[in-house]
Amino acid sequence: MTSLLTTLWYRLTGQPEWKLRQLEQQRQYASYYRLSQLIGWQALSPFYGGEMRLISDQLLRVLERGELAPDFHYRHFTRPKEDGSPRKLAEPDPTLKRFQHNIRKFMLKRAAAHPAALGFRRRRSTADHAWQHAGAHTIVTADITDFFPSTKAWRVEAWWQTQFPDQEDAARLYTLLTTYQGALPQGAPTSPDLSNMVNLDMDTALESRAKISGGRYSRYCDDLAFSWSGRDDMPSDFEAGIRSSMGEYGYHLHDWQVWQGSDEPELTGIILKRRGGVALPETVRQTIRQLERSHDPGDAARLAGYRSYENMVLGLPERRERQKEAQRQKALERKSRR
């Protein structure tokens, strides 16, 4: 309470300051209770704590207005892509970002993504995406144009409705808190996970098309890859079918490329070797060699980072096999204890 407010309160009512604080707390609890009635107690889990009472009014206003402003806002900025073109980003304000981190922790981490969606997932990496297609005779790579801006808010709300089937207001509020300008904002901590959850049906459809043709499918964020072993080309109608499926979900593809057995395509920064296996790009290997020759103490840490990345990429199959063996041993131990 500001001194000016308490002074005015005393002069107008003649009552002490503690009475003003008590009335404010009652109003906050009333707003908190009203919000809980609208969206349900389960939907409040990311906001539990004293702070929730302080921002209940803000969340109620967002729900009633159907927009974030003026209570929350985004900061716009750009960063260069690998090709030098600007990538447009939108960063939420500190309070909204804190809410989004809690939503990610309490709500999104419990939801399941499709196994073919390898981006933004714990214990999955670009190496998993590349190794899926190592040794294939034919590989197709493609990128989704403007992936996050093309993931529209109505699809996000449809997914939130599956999480709150009996709480329409809860689904609406969560949509408002995790979308911006009608789509997933590239720069919000919730967008990567939501892009996987929202596209569960799409990944299922693409994997089905690949399996029917005898191929494999995986997606890392906006990078798609399909591959076939034992055939020198993809099915004749495969590209048209994939583009049609993507269009149903509001996406368009660019950089569609078909790689034959003699090619060595680069997939999410990793080279697929023509005889199977993977390798780091020459630019990365050259950087490692330069760091090895450097006498600068600061380069030792950089070299260790590159070495760790190299081991992560090249040693993935052995590491996955060890994990599977450990899981088999645990299963046998549990079975023997029964």
Side-chain angles (χ1 to χ4, degrees):
M1 298 286 178
T2 65
S3 58
L4 177 60
L5 180 61
T6 54
T7 300
L8 288 174
W9 165 261
Y10 181 76
R11 288 182 177 178
L12 291 173
T13 66
Q15 297 183 358
E17 180 184 346
W18 67 264
K19 185 65 174 180
L20 175 61
R21 289 198 301 268
Q22 184 183 57
L23 290 174
E24 178 63 17
Q25 288 178 353
Q26 291 174 351
R27 187 193 64 77
Q28 290 172 356
Y29 276 112
S31 296
Y32 187 58
Y33 181 76
R34 182 185 172 205
L35 185 63
S36 71
Q37 295 301 300
L38 285 173
I39 70 175
W41 290 107
Q42 179 189 0
L44 284 173
S45 58
F47 310 109
Y48 282 148
E51 185 185 21
M52 180 61 192
R53 297 192 304 274
L54 301 178
I55 51 83
S56 294
D57 288 340
Q58 291 176 288
L59 296 181
L60 284 169
R61 288 195 296 269
V62 167
L63 190 56
E64 290 167 357
R65 287 194 308 263
E67 60 181 4
L68 293 173
D71 292 287
F72 305 105
H73 63 273
Y74 280 81
R75 178 178 70 92
H76 294 261
F77 62 101
T78 62
R79 285 182 179 171
K81 299 180 183 179
E82 291 184 2
D83 60 4
S85 61
R87 185 190 304 277
K88 297 180 180 180
L89 300 173
E91 181 184 29
D93 65 62
T95 301
L96 180 57
K97 181 183 286 189
R98 187 162 59 251
F99 290 166
Q100 291 174 345
H101 276 299
N102 286 342
I103 291 172
R104 183 170 182 260
K105 177 180 178 181
F106 290 101
M107 307 298 295
L108 299 181
K109 286 303 180 183
R110 297 182 300 182
H114 193 279
L118 300 172
F120 319 120
R121 295 180 61 189
R122 188 168 177 261
R123 296 179 179 175
R124 291 293 181 267
S125 68
T126 55
D128 292 277
H129 186 46
W131 275 104
Q132 286 270 355
H133 309 281
H137 292 84
T138 301
I139 300 172
V140 170
T141 59
D143 295 336
I144 302 175
T145 304
D146 298 327
F147 178 54
F148 287 105
S150 297
T151 307
K152 299 304 182 181
W154 69 266
R155 295 185 61 216
V156 177
E157 183 165 6
W159 184 82
W160 279 120
Q161 287 171 351
T162 66
Q163 307 303 298
F164 303 105
D166 300 321
Q167 295 287 347
E168 182 178 341
D169 285 324
R172 184 59 184 152
L173 178 61
Y174 271 76
T175 302
L176 291 168
L177 293 175
T178 55
T179 60
Y180 179 58
Q181 295 182 343
L184 285 181
Q186 189 167 4
T190 47
S191 292
D193 288 315
L194 277 171
S195 72
N196 282 339
M197 310 309 169
V198 167
N199 285 311
L200 177 63
D201 290 343
M202 182 193 76
D203 289 324
T204 301
L206 296 185
E207 184 183 56
S208 177
R209 282 187 175 271
K211 284 185 174 181
I212 290 173
S213 67
R216 288 184 173 184
Y217 160 72
S218 66
R219 177 176 64 84
Y220 193 94
C221 186
D222 57 352
D223 292 322
L224 308 184
F226 305 88
S227 64
W228 294 264
S229 298
R231 63 180 301 161
D232 296 329
D233 200 359
M234 67 176 182
S236 58
D237 60 345
F238 188 76
E239 179 179 355
I242 292 299
R243 289 186 181 275
S244 176
S245 293
M246 299 296 292
E248 293 176 7
Y249 297 95
Y251 296 124
H252 300 282
L253 297 178
H254 68 282
D255 290 341
W256 181 279
Q257 298 186 63
V258 181
W259 308 87
Q260 303 293 305
S262 59
D263 298 323
E264 291 191 335
E266 182 173 329
L267 188 60
T268 55
I270 299 172
I271 304 297
L272 300 183
K273 301 171 70 174
R274 63 174 60 92
R275 294 183 180 179
V278 305
L280 299 182
E282 177 57 30
T283 54
V284 176
R285 297 200 300 269
Q286 183 178 1
T287 300
I288 292 175
R289 291 193 294 268
Q290 291 175 347
L291 292 174
E292 288 174 337
R293 295 191 296 267
S294 174
H295 299 289
D296 186 342
D299 285 339
R302 292 184 59 204
L303 178 60
Y306 274 100
R307 285 298 190 196
S308 177
Y309 173 69
E310 182 181 38
N311 293 333
M312 183 272 292
V313 171
L314 303 184
L316 181 66
E318 292 80 4
R319 190 163 60 252
R320 288 286 182 257
E321 188 57 39
R322 289 196 300 269
Q323 291 172 351
K324 289 180 181 178
E325 181 60 29
Q327 291 173 354
R328 284 194 291 266
Q329 292 296 329
K330 288 182 179 179
L332 290 174
E333 291 175 3
R334 287 195 296 268
K335 187 175 180 180
S336 64
R337 288 197 294 266
R338 291 176 183 173

